[in-house]
């Protein structure tokens, strides 16, 4: 992913005691921060003292293709200095510098200056509702560092989406019509490009033509990566390898970094395979692969992966509730990457319900990644492009016997940092009509999701109370 570009505009009120020294310190700290966290700092050529210098700085910054820009208050900034920045083409941060002494003559009055900037952007441009985020202090101050780390995650997610090329291989699967999205909505909101030119049959033809030696070598690698169940036949392993190689080759040739795969029913009817095992391995290798033609789910995976700096995400259904221990089961057929497995790792097994009985024995169709999710905190999200809404909450995976497939039990739910019980979670999910797929990754990234949603103007689901009566939609 490309390097994030951060603009820096210093705003003075005359030449106060300490402002130049503080500016030099801040620029050094921010430059070092950028080297450690892989972003570029681009400073405006001149310090802003008044409207004309602000106008020149704004025009200069607009040409820099910035991801984010700091308006840095080093004094009681003249209010009209904010006006030229009302039409910036990137998100804005208002950053108040600390005073260099706490007694005697007030050195800079920088905090007051940041309030002037905030008030001007809010009141002068009231009809535009210009968004900004506030920061305070040197770069090691939590009021800067903790807040900026969240912003960096949101910026990286936005940049990742702008670089995304999604190949939709086949349509959304039968019966999931509410997950159909408009390509124009995805492109205009996120910058991601979708191509719907591709068919499942084309992938099958590519798989069938894959060189034999290449397939044999891939089968050898697959067997090394997990335990191979006796239920998986040599033919199923071979077709598993062929599908994986076909998807990978297709993505590389088309320069796609995301595949949205219509994973049933054509593959089963034409090729006698589910692609779950292939999807698991693609995600493990860094190529995002989403189940059931779900592009919104893929978007959630892209964002989560960007927050975690490349660590794979996955997609699940919410399938079972246990009120005894206030837990919820997350599950999918078997597409999760190996890095999400607990100490038992992956078992390559046949599908649990796609297939047929032969001689009284169940013969599953193809190969899935059977694994139990490892313990740890996770963040689950669902973005709905059609309603422009996001639902996000955190939970903890804990040790508890689970279902076949890629699965695990979660508890200790939180929304916006507040604990939420299983009944309140159900009310929230139903009241907001949340789609049945949720994307997730390890770590607590709820704040980053909320910031991303706020920058993008996405409505955020709020915690619903539980009631016995029928509730109207929020």
């Amino acid at each position: 992913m490309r390097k994030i570009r951060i603009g820096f505009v210093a705003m003075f009120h005359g030449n106060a005691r300490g402002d130049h020294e503080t500016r030099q310190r801040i620029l050094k700290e921010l430059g070092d921060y950028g080297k450690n966290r892989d972003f570029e700092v681009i400073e405006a050529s001149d310090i802003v003292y008044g409207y004309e210098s602000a106008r020149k700085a704004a025009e200069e910054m607009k040409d820099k293709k910035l991801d984010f820009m700091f308006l840095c208050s080093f004094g009681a900034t003249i209010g009209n200095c904010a006006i030229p920045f009302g039409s910036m083409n990137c998100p804005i941060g208002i950053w108040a510098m600390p005073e260099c002494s706490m007694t005697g003559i007030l050195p800079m009055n920088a905090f007051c200056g940041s309030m002037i900037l905030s008030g001007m952007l809010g009141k002068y441009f009231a009809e535009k509702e210009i968004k900004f985020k506030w920061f305070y202090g040197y770069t090691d101050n939590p009021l800067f560092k903790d807040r900026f780390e969240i912003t960096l995650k949101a910026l990286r997610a936005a940049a990742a989406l702008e670089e995304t090329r999604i190949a939709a291989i086949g349509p959304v699967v039968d019966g999931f019509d509410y997950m159909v999205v408009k390509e124009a909505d995805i492109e205009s909101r996120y910058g991601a490009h979708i191509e719907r030119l591709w068919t499942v049959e084309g992938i099958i033809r590519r798989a069938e033509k894959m060189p034999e030696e290449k397939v044999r070598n891939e089968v050898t690698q697959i067997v090394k990566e997990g335990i191979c169940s006796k239920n998986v036949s040599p033919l199923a392993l071979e077709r598993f390898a062929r599908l994986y190689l076909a998807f990978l080759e297709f993505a590389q040739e088309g320069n796609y970094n995301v595949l949205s795969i219509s994973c049933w029913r054509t593959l089963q009817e034409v090729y006698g395979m589910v692609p779950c095992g292939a999807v698991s391995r693609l995600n493990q290798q860094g190529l995002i692969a989403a189940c059931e033609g779900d592009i919104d789910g893929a978007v959630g995976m892209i964002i989560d992966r960007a927050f975690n700096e490349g660590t794979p995400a996955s997609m699940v259904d919410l399938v079972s509730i246990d009120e005894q221990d206030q837990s919820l089961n997350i599950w999918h057929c078997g597409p999760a990457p190996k890095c999400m497995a607990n100490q038992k790792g992956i078992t390559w097994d046949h599908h649990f319900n796609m297939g047929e009985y032969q001689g009284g024995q169940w013969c599953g169709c193809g190969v899935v990644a059977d694994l139990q999710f490892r313990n740890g905190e996770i963040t689950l999200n669902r973005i709905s492009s059609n309603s422009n809404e996001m639902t996000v909450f955190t939970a903890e995976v804990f040790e508890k016997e689970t279902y076949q497939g890629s699965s695990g039990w979660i508890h200790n739910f939180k929304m916006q940092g507040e604990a939420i019980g299983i009944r309140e979670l159900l009310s929230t999910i139903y009241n907001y009509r949340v789609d049945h797929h949720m994307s997730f990754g390890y770590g607590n990234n709820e704040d980053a999701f909320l910031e991303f949603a706020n920058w993008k103007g996405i409505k955020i689901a709020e915690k619903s109370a539980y009631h016995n009566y029928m509730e109207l939609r929020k």
Side-chain angles (χ1 to χ4, degrees):
M1 191 179 75
R2 65 173 176 81
K3 186 171 286 192
I4 298 299
R5 294 166 64 85
I6 305 291
F8 183 97
V9 179
M11 308 187 84
F12 280 34
H13 180 73
N15 288 311
R17 179 167 63 92
D19 49 14
H20 286 281
E21 293 82 359
T22 303
R23 171 176 164 271
Q24 290 169 359
R25 174 177 171 175
I26 287 285
L27 278 169
K28 171 69 165 58
E29 289 185 3
L30 192 62
D32 292 342
Y33 200 149
K35 291 175 184 175
N36 291 331
R37 298 292 285 116
D38 196 31
F39 63 84
E40 181 181 2
V41 180
I42 300 168
E43 184 189 10
S45 300
D46 298 307
I47 294 169
V48 170
Y49 285 99
Y51 178 82
E52 186 57 27
S53 53
R55 185 188 63 78
K56 290 180 181 178
E59 291 304 312
E60 178 187 0
M61 291 290 100
K62 286 176 186 175
D63 292 335
K64 299 295 186 181
K65 297 182 179 179
L66 300 174
D67 295 287
F68 189 82
M69 183 187 67
F70 284 118
L71 295 181
C72 305
S73 173
F74 290 86
T77 310
I78 302 300
N80 63 6
C81 291
I83 294 173
F85 298 100
S87 58
M88 283 303 298
N89 50 7
C90 67
I92 293 173
I94 294 178
W95 186 1
M97 300 302 140
E99 298 297 326
C100 52
S101 67
M102 294 295 186
T103 60
I105 298 172
L106 180 64
M108 296 184 296
N109 203 14
F111 175 60
C112 180
S114 72
M115 292 180 65
I116 292 169
L117 291 173
S118 167
M120 284 294 291
L121 291 180
K123 304 292 176 24
Y124 188 89
F125 297 101
E127 74 288 349
K128 293 181 68 173
E129 295 186 11
I130 294 173
K131 300 172 183 175
F132 66 85
K133 185 175 182 179
W134 64 267
F135 300 86
Y136 180 84
Y138 295 115
T139 58
D140 60 352
N141 187 322
L143 293 179
F144 177 84
K145 187 173 183 179
D146 293 353
R147 295 173 64 78
F148 186 56
E149 280 295 323
I150 296 300
T151 298
L152 265 182
K153 287 185 176 185
L155 294 176
R156 289 198 170 109
L161 283 163
E162 289 169 4
E163 295 177 345
T164 293
R165 284 174 49 81
I166 302 173
I169 303 173
V172 172
V173 298
D174 293 347
F176 295 166
D177 303 61
Y178 60 89
M179 293 198 305
V180 175
V181 302
K182 298 175 183 175
E183 290 92 324
D185 287 347
I186 300 294
E187 188 136 16
S188 63
R189 189 170 292 135
Y190 307 120
H193 177 68
I194 302 171
E195 289 187 2
R196 291 191 181 275
L197 308 173
W198 314 111
T199 65
V200 172
E201 290 87 348
I203 293 294
I204 293 171
R205 288 193 294 271
R206 187 182 289 261
E208 290 174 334
K209 294 177 182 177
M210 202 58 61
E212 297 295 334
E213 184 177 359
K214 195 171 185 179
V215 173
R216 285 196 298 272
N217 291 339
E218 202 61 41
V219 167
T220 300
Q221 183 59 37
I222 289 168
V223 172
K224 288 180 181 178
E225 292 171 2
I227 300 168
C228 198
S229 166
K230 64 180 180 181
N231 300 316
V232 176
S233 68
L235 177 60
L237 270 178
E238 178 195 327
R239 289 184 175 177
F240 171 11
R242 287 182 180 276
L243 272 182
Y244 169 78
L245 290 168
F247 283 127
L248 193 62
E249 182 185 83
F250 166 81
Q252 291 169 345
E253 286 182 6
N255 195 29
Y256 298 113
N257 48 12
V258 179
L259 304 181
S260 174
I261 302 167
S262 185
C263 51
W264 54 278
R265 303 176 179 168
T266 303
L267 268 166
Q268 292 78 51
E269 293 171 348
V270 177
Y271 200 48
M273 281 293 292
V274 294
C276 306
V279 169
S280 167
R281 296 187 78 229
L282 291 169
N283 280 310
Q284 180 67 27
Q285 295 301 320
L287 176 62
I288 292 174
C291 309
E292 297 173 349
D294 181 5
I295 288 173
D296 276 342
V299 169
M301 292 171 69
I302 295 163
I303 296 170
D304 195 285
R305 189 172 183 271
F307 290 163
N308 285 325
E309 300 184 15
T311 300
S314 193
M315 183 186 294
V316 289
D317 296 343
L318 313 184
V319 298
S320 187
I321 296 153
D322 187 344
E323 285 203 86
Q324 292 295 316
D325 59 7
Q326 291 285 291
S327 66
L328 175 70
N329 190 269
I330 56 175
W331 169 95
H332 232 198
C333 308
K338 182 179 180 179
C339 64
M340 288 187 166
N342 66 5
Q343 68 278 7
K344 295 179 183 177
I346 280 181
T347 297
W348 303 119
D349 208 343
H350 63 172
H351 202 285
F352 73 101
N353 76 350
M354 290 186 183
E356 61 183 359
Y357 283 97
Q358 295 179 2
Q361 294 293 317
W362 175 252
C363 296
C365 180
V367 185
V368 304
D370 183 17
L371 61 87
Q372 183 167 342
F373 295 127
R374 60 182 170 84
N375 293 356
E377 189 171 25
I378 63 173
T379 305
L380 298 101
N381 80 88
R382 180 63 194 181
I383 290 176
S384 174
S385 298
N386 293 328
S387 61
N388 192 32
E389 292 177 326
M390 173 189 288
T391 302
V392 58
F393 62 94
T394 63
E396 294 176 5
V397 182
F398 68 104
E399 200 68 33
K400 179 178 176 178
E401 188 175 357
T402 188
Y403 299 108
Q404 287 181 292
S406 300
S407 182
W409 287 91
I410 60 176
H411 63 176
N412 294 342
F413 313 105
K414 291 183 180 179
M415 289 190 76
Q416 299 183 30
E418 295 184 2
I420 180 171
I422 191 72
R423 294 188 178 190
E424 289 76 23
L425 181 60
L426 292 176
S427 290
T428 304
I429 287 168
Y430 286 120
N431 287 343
Y432 281 93
R433 284 34 172 185
V434 178
D435 300 337
H436 74 282
H437 281 167
M438 297 203 83
S439 304
F440 86 96
Y442 279 84
N444 186 335
N445 286 311
E446 185 181 30
D447 283 354
F449 272 107
L450 297 176
E451 176 149 337
F452 176 87
N454 285 334
W455 287 124
K456 293 295 183 181
I458 302 170
K459 292 174 285 187
I460 299 167
E462 302 286 344
K463 179 175 71 172
S464 296
Y466 170 76
H467 303 288
N468 282 329
Y469 57 82
M470 188 279 287
E471 299 175 81
L472 296 177
R473 189 183 190 279
K474 297 291 184 182

